[in-house]
Amino acid sequence: MVQKYQSPVRVYKHPFELVMAAYERRFPTCHLIPMFVASDIVDEEASEDGSTHKIERRCALDVDAPRLLKRIAGVDYVYFIQRNTLNRKERTLHIESHNETFSNRVIIHETCCYSVHPENEDWTCFEQTASLDIKSFFGFESTVEKIAMKQYASSIKKGKEIIEFYLKELEDEGITHVPRWTTSSLPLPPPRPTSLTTSPPVLPKPPVTPAIAIPLPLDADYIKRYLGDLTPLQESCLIRLRQWLQETHKGKIPKDEHILRFLRARDFNMDKAREILCQSLTWRKQHQVDYLLETWTSPQVLHDYYTGGWHHHDRDGRPLYILRLGQMDTKGLVRALGEESLLRHVLSINEEGLRRCEENTKVFGRPISCWTCLVDLEGLNMRHLWRPGVKALLRIIEVVEANYPETLGRLLILRAPRVFPVLWTLVSPFIDENTRKKFLIYAGNDYQGPGGLVDYIDKEIIPDFLGGECMCEVPEGGLVPKSMYRTPEELENEDVRLWTETIYQSASIFKGAPHELLIEIIDASSVITWDFDVCKGDVVFNIYHSKRAPQPPRKDPLGAHGITSPGGNNVQLIDKSWTLGQDYSMVESPLTCKEGESVQGSHITRWPGFYILQWKFHSMPACSATNLPRVDDVLATLQVSSHKCKVMYYTEVLGSEDFRLLYPPFSVQYASVLSLTIPSSSSLSLPVKNGLL
């Protein structure tokens, strides 16, 4: 498996030329990097005007590896080739290095770049990327990988300190300014001569890929201030996942703190974190969760009988939420409101928690990404174990765990009664193991002694009902009047309305069974707009036009594919007897959309009639060099789920005038289809005439 690393942008608040002078002092050896034994210049060239200077070095590293491993490998040192290209005119230094030792067994590639800060020409930016691919190493592949990543992470961490050390050394010598290169400048003298004192190679330093200019790069100082202390590899995971989201989600990505929560929830496993984050983003989009605080109005019964509320903050600055669960009439709330209304209310609490974390981060000047919850169980009894109430609780836990990971910093459970173990047995299997470790449970009045509440909450804000002096505005609860209960039918209709209250629709796509949507256009030059997310699998998106209406839509029997899909829809409109080019025509080239991509676009219609938007299962082509299927294709056919894709979409038809008002840059001078998919290297560019971007 290839290990990859990408650094945040590290900023030196010094001019580029001064940083270069400090950088050169690292050679031929550097006492601050004990493993850097020596370096030797093997090639060097400079342009006639001195603006460009290229130098190639052979570097020897004494890798901190077990002696037995070194003896098996037959080396004491590991060698790397480093090529530097300094452009004094452009004020950039590009560094590329790769391993010479064991290059047939281990592939290490690293690229770094020093450049001028885009907003301050007297500051210097540094970025680096790397990759490590261990193909074989005498049966010690896993050990070598761990050693390489550990030592690389250590050297990354010290990298900025080393440059700062030499900058201070220059300052002590009275060198605080190095003039910029001009056309009249003479070539600078070559670097100090170097020598290799020993012959040996260097063990894997994770390779780096060239520094790539990405939108809104993350600054190392920003990460420390707003996200906390991360290891170099954790920083790399955050940056790479953030980049992937920018490339596939049209730049509308969650905040860095939110991305980081999903990475922490999966121990910084990129693939696992990306999977659950994409599922959560789709869920948020489908149910308009981003607008919940502005659109959701809690029913009066919740204001009166829901015994929870925000109350100052704990000793760490985390927002503090208090829930008097023992005083809550869970049965009455479920009977009066239904499961979905309670879920919406809990989601609004979590959204408010995210907002308060941002506020507290600014107020306290340090990263605060989670909150503390205090649950008072006084009054908890068997009526709280009412089956529908427990079912609603488990549903809420499931949704919160999936979409708000790592938001609970600590859970203080006070005055746990004898019935609590029964409730705990029911709910604990649904709670993530990392979350369970944050639970502190106190029976009776144990919370009042040493190691109790005062260790986590300032004495001045302990609520009055827990023996403190602070008035707490959390409702006291009580029994919900039965006159407010609603019938099961009313609650079911309300739950369905809340759950389906979204502008988005979902569809399932199968191999041989696309999903198609019919749009009738009366006025030519109308604009069909769409916004869809590919939730599962890869799909091909097509737009067709027909002068005649298709037959009434037929729904594909999902059972025929051995799959049931309660949340999916599958409709086919194009009759099998229709001929492409006669009965209907393709108005644009097909657009292949990958899993996880978010696609927005529009089509300016040329003719009235019937337009069909089609999402079709995308089959991977077989290898062109042979008739044999690829291994990936064979494995895919072994999984039923591989024949199913899922999309979530929204479409709207606008008049051309309305479209110009909403999207002024996209006037009618640009022709028929404007589709913005955001593949990797894209930025929002002007639409291309008659084409899908």
Side-chain angles (χ1 to χ4, degrees):
M1 180 179 176
V2 179
Q3 293 283 353
K4 294 183 178 181
Y5 169 79
Q6 181 164 344
S7 75
V9 177
R10 305 191 188 279
V11 178
Y12 299 96
K13 296 181 180 180
H14 300 277
F16 174 80
E17 290 72 20
L18 195 61
V19 172
M20 290 300 97
Y23 174 78
E24 283 299 326
R25 296 199 171 203
R26 295 177 53 171
F27 301 99
T29 60
C30 176
H31 70 280
L32 297 173
I33 313 176
M35 64 182 281
F36 185 25
V37 176
S39 64
D40 208 9
I41 296 176
V42 296
D43 190 28
E44 186 173 13
E45 63 177 278
S47 61
E48 290 185 6
D49 62 1
S51 63
T52 304
H53 182 210
K54 296 181 180 180
I55 187 168
E56 181 175 317
R57 292 185 177 93
R58 187 170 186 255
C59 307
L61 304 186
D62 183 8
V63 177
D64 183 15
R67 184 164 183 79
L68 175 62
L69 182 61
K70 287 186 176 182
R71 291 186 64 182
I72 292 174
V75 299
D76 289 319
Y77 298 95
V78 179
Y79 290 103
F80 275 79
I81 300 298
Q82 183 194 74
R83 297 186 180 94
N84 292 3
T85 302
L86 173 63
N87 189 321
R88 299 187 179 95
K89 183 178 180 181
E90 301 293 334
R91 303 179 77 196
T92 60
L93 172 65
H94 291 281
I95 306 167
E96 184 179 351
S97 63
H98 65 272
N99 61 305
E100 182 183 76
T101 308
F102 305 126
S103 57
N104 61 330
R105 296 177 177 273
V106 179
I107 299 174
I108 301 172
H109 185 254
E110 178 184 47
T111 308
C112 309
C113 178
Y114 288 88
S115 60
V116 178
H117 193 286
E119 296 177 3
N120 189 329
E121 63 177 14
D122 290 328
W123 290 0
T124 304
C125 293
F126 173 76
E127 294 178 80
Q128 69 185 130
T129 56
S131 62
L132 166 68
D133 185 8
I134 300 177
K135 299 187 178 298
S136 65
F137 204 86
F138 312 108
F140 291 92
E141 291 80 11
S142 178
T143 302
V144 171
E145 180 179 301
K146 289 177 182 177
I147 292 172
M149 297 307 289
K150 180 181 177 181
Q151 297 213 347
Y152 191 66
S154 174
S155 66
I156 290 168
K157 201 168 184 179
K158 293 180 66 175
K160 186 173 182 180
E161 298 173 10
I162 292 169
I163 294 294
E164 296 284 3
F165 172 84
Y166 286 121
L167 285 168
K168 181 67 168 58
E169 188 175 82
L170 287 167
E171 183 182 351
D172 293 343
E173 295 173 7
I175 303 173
T176 57
H177 174 73
V178 176
R180 295 186 188 179
W181 178 90
T182 63
T183 51
S184 60
S185 299
L186 293 174
L188 295 180
R192 294 173 294 179
T194 61
S195 62
L196 258 187
T197 54
T198 327
S199 73
V202 175
L203 246 166
K205 221 186 178 183
V208 186
T209 328
I212 302 171
I214 61 173
L216 299 175
L218 288 182
D219 181 282
D221 294 335
Y222 160 83
I223 290 177
K224 187 172 183 179
R225 166 65 179 82
Y226 292 98
L227 304 179
D229 290 321
L230 302 178
T231 68
L233 298 181
Q234 289 173 345
E235 288 178 341
S236 172
C237 287
L238 172 62
I239 293 166
R240 287 161 55 207
L241 182 53
R242 185 177 186 264
Q243 248 186 315
W244 182 85
L245 289 168
Q246 286 172 328
E247 293 167 358
T248 58
H249 284 69
K250 197 174 179 278
K252 294 180 180 178
I253 63 172
K255 295 177 180 176
D256 299 321
E257 306 93 291
H258 200 57
I259 299 174
L260 189 57
R261 289 185 183 104
F262 283 86
L263 283 166
R264 282 177 171 146
R266 291 298 178 267
D267 295 323
F268 287 87
N269 182 304
M270 271 275 294
D271 293 334
K272 291 180 179 179
R274 178 167 55 194
E275 180 181 357
I276 61 172
L277 177 56
C278 285
Q279 291 171 355
S280 179
L281 291 178
T282 300
W283 170 82
R284 294 182 70 87
K285 186 173 183 178
Q286 184 171 11
H287 300 291
Q288 303 288 288
V289 179
D290 288 336
Y291 310 103
L292 190 61
L293 291 179
E294 292 79 29
T295 58
W296 167 248
T297 303
S298 300
Q300 188 59 42
V301 66
L302 282 172
H303 288 288
D304 296 338
Y305 296 98
Y306 189 87
T307 55
W310 294 99
H311 181 76
H312 301 284
H313 55 80
D314 69 4
R315 287 184 179 271
D316 297 320
R318 296 167 174 162
L320 175 62
Y321 190 82
I322 293 179
L323 180 65
R324 303 183 68 179
L325 185 59
Q327 304 300 313
M328 186 184 295
D329 181 9
T330 52
K331 179 177 180 179
L333 289 173
V334 173
R335 292 289 300 274
L337 293 170
E339 187 178 312
E340 294 303 327
S341 287
L342 277 176
L343 175 58
R344 285 284 178 108
H345 184 63
V346 173
L347 294 182
S348 71
I349 293 170
N350 281 271
E351 290 296 306
E352 173 66 16
L354 296 177
R355 188 189 66 78
R356 286 174 179 259
C357 285
E358 286 186 38
E359 282 186 359
N360 286 16
T361 295
K362 296 173 184 176
V363 170
F364 292 100
R366 60 177 182 272
I368 294 172
S369 62
C370 53
W371 51 84
T372 293
C373 186
L374 187 156
V375 180
D376 180 21
L377 295 183
E378 185 182 50
L380 188 78
N381 54 45
M382 291 303 293
R383 68 183 173 84
H384 288 89
L385 302 181
W386 179 60
R387 187 180 179 85
V390 173
K391 175 176 171 287
L393 176 61
L394 296 180
R395 166 82 191 292
I396 289 169
I397 290 173
E398 181 183 22
V399 173
V400 170
E401 282 281 308
N403 298 286
Y404 300 92
E406 297 297 314
T407 53
L408 182 66
R410 185 180 293 116
L411 180 66
L412 303 169
I413 299 176
L414 310 185
R415 302 197 280 195
R418 291 183 178 181
V419 73
F420 173 71
V422 180
L423 180 62
W424 179 247
T425 301
L426 292 172
V427 303
S428 60
F430 295 87
I431 301 173
D432 181 76
E433 183 180 352
N434 288 335
T435 304
R436 289 202 298 268
K437 293 176 181 177
K438 301 170 185 176
F439 285 31
L440 295 171
I441 303 171
Y442 299 89
N445 293 324
D446 291 351
Y447 69 92
Q448 294 177 340
L453 210 51
V454 290
D455 284 13
Y456 307 103
I457 300 173
D458 287 332
K459 188 176 180 181
E460 306 82 58
I461 65 168
I462 293 178
D464 51 349
F465 63 85
L466 291 175
E469 300 177 357
C470 186
M471 294 298 294
C472 183
E473 296 181 359
V474 174
E476 294 184 4
L479 295 176
V480 177
K482 291 187 177 180
S483 60
M484 303 183 75
Y485 287 11
R486 291 192 288 172
T487 65
E489 292 76 16
E490 289 174 326
L491 291 175
E492 184 177 353
N493 291 335
E494 175 71 5
D495 285 353
V496 169
R497 183 186 69 78
L498 286 172
W499 185 244
T500 57
E501 205 173 56
T502 172
I503 61 174
Y504 289 89
Q505 300 180 58
S506 61
S508 296
I509 297 118
F510 302 91
K511 201 166 187 177
H515 177 70
E516 294 163 346
L517 178 69
L518 180 66
I519 297 176
E520 184 177 3
I521 297 296
I522 307 298
D523 300 320
S525 297
S526 295
V527 182
I528 302 172
T529 66
W530 58 81
D531 175 2
F532 67 86
D533 290 85
V534 185
C535 307
K536 181 179 181 181
D538 299 342
V539 301
V540 178
F541 179 61
N542 289 302
I543 309 170
Y544 299 103
H545 172 263
S546 175
K547 293 181 180 178
R548 60 178 173 136
Q551 294 297 315
R554 64 184 188 279
K555 292 198 174 185
D556 184 72
L558 303 185
H561 294 83
I563 303 170
T564 58
S565 179
N569 187 17
N570 183 271
V571 176
Q572 287 135 56
L573 299 165
I574 299 175
D575 194 276
K576 300 290 185 185
S577 63
W578 280 20
T579 303
L580 183 63
Q582 296 180 11
D583 301 290
Y584 68 112
S585 59
M586 181 182 290
V587 295
E588 286 300 336
S589 300
L591 179 67
T592 301
C593 310
K594 300 292 185 181
E595 180 175 325
E597 285 188 347
S598 180
V599 182
Q600 295 78 31
S602 57
H603 175 81
I604 302 177
T605 62
R606 294 181 178 180
W607 317 278
F610 300 91
Y611 287 81
I612 299 171
L613 274 55
Q614 181 193 74
W615 291 269
K616 185 172 64 174
F617 182 90
H618 176 58
S619 299
M620 296 298 292
C623 180
S624 57
T626 175
N627 292 326
L628 294 174
R630 303 181 312 165
V631 173
D632 290 346
D633 297 333
V634 174
L635 293 175
T637 60
L638 299 178
Q639 303 177 22
V640 174
S641 60
S642 68
H643 294 294
K644 177 183 176 182
C645 301
K646 193 170 183 179
V647 295
M648 184 182 74
Y649 64 90
Y650 167 72
T651 62
E652 186 177 3
V653 178
L654 300 172
S656 57
E657 292 299 324
D658 296 332
F659 186 71
R660 280 199 294 268
L661 288 172
L662 286 171
Y663 308 99
F666 303 138
S667 59
V668 289
Q669 63 177 303
Y670 305 113
S672 59
V673 174
L674 319 176
S675 178
L676 303 175
T677 70
I678 316 278
S680 58
S681 60
S682 69
S683 57
L684 289 180
S685 56
L686 289 176
V688 176
K689 184 177 281 190
N690 291 330
L692 293 171
L693 293 182

